[in-house]
Amino acid sequence: MILDSLKSFERYITLHERFGKVYEFIKSHDLHSLEDGKHVIEEDNIWCTVSTSEAREDAPLEVHDSFIDIHVILDGTEIMGFRDRAKCLGVGVNYDEATDTAIMKESPEAFISYSDDNFVICFPQDCHAPLMGTGTVRKAVFKVRL
């Protein structure tokens, strides 16, 4: 997991071959003015979904096998829970290949709070529980195929 300011995203483009395309999209688009919905960057490999949601008190841990998530807060504050995937049993957990998501039975062991123009990168080893907190959160989530 990486937490940083969106202004610093450029320093992470060497972590994955497709992060450069995410960076170019961020530079060439005003994320705050994007309409809610899916914005395809590279068919089947990179997209950004913008959404407005109400935060919740509790959220399940989710994990992905085929994609890296990059969560960018556009408005509001989100609390995200985390747990190292190696600390999750994974027994009896159903993986949905269509959404590349498994919901884990364990609870988060750590929490972060982040707000406008900050991002969190979640790798496959990072179980994460997004959209926790109170109030309305507008965010962009980039999905980057491994």
Side-chain angles (χ1 to χ4, degrees):
M1 186 228 31
I2 295 171
L3 167 66
D4 205 339
S5 167
L6 196 56
K7 294 176 186 174
S8 301
F9 189 81
E10 183 177 14
R11 74 175 63 163
Y12 301 102
I13 61 175
T14 59
L15 293 179
H16 189 280
E17 63 185 344
R18 294 189 173 104
F19 279 12
K21 289 186 179 182
V22 172
Y23 176 66
E24 290 303 320
F25 186 87
I26 291 168
K27 278 185 20 183
S28 63
H29 293 79
D30 176 7
L31 297 182
H32 294 274
S33 67
L34 289 177
E35 292 185 20
D36 283 12
K38 185 175 179 178
H39 304 269
V40 176
I41 300 167
E42 183 181 289
E43 193 67 41
D44 297 325
N45 291 320
I46 311 168
W47 64 87
C48 169
T49 302
V50 177
S51 63
T52 304
S53 306
E54 289 301 313
R56 52 197 177 206
E57 281 188 37
D58 196 17
L61 282 170
E62 62 183 58
V63 68
H64 311 291
D65 288 340
S66 300
F67 286 86
I68 298 167
D69 279 2
I70 303 170
H71 296 251
V72 180
I73 298 298
L74 303 174
D75 189 36
T77 300
E78 176 181 65
I79 296 170
M80 188 178 290
F82 288 94
R83 186 178 189 95
D84 184 342
R85 190 174 188 168
K87 294 182 178 179
C88 295
L89 297 176
V91 177
V93 173
N94 293 324
Y95 171 73
D96 183 342
E97 192 172 337
T99 62
D100 184 41
T101 304
I103 302 298
M104 307 308 277
K105 295 179 180 181
E106 290 81 5
S107 297
E109 62 182 354
F111 297 88
I112 59 163
S113 176
Y114 68 120
S115 58
D116 301 4
D117 295 325
N118 284 293
F119 70 89
V120 173
I121 300 175
C122 300
F123 296 94
Q125 69 270 16
D126 302 320
C127 296
H128 53 285
L131 279 176
M132 295 174 65
T134 59
T136 302
V137 177
R138 187 156 193 271
K139 67 189 290 187
V141 178
F142 290 87
K143 300 292 278 187
V144 181
R145 184 177 296 279
L146 290 170

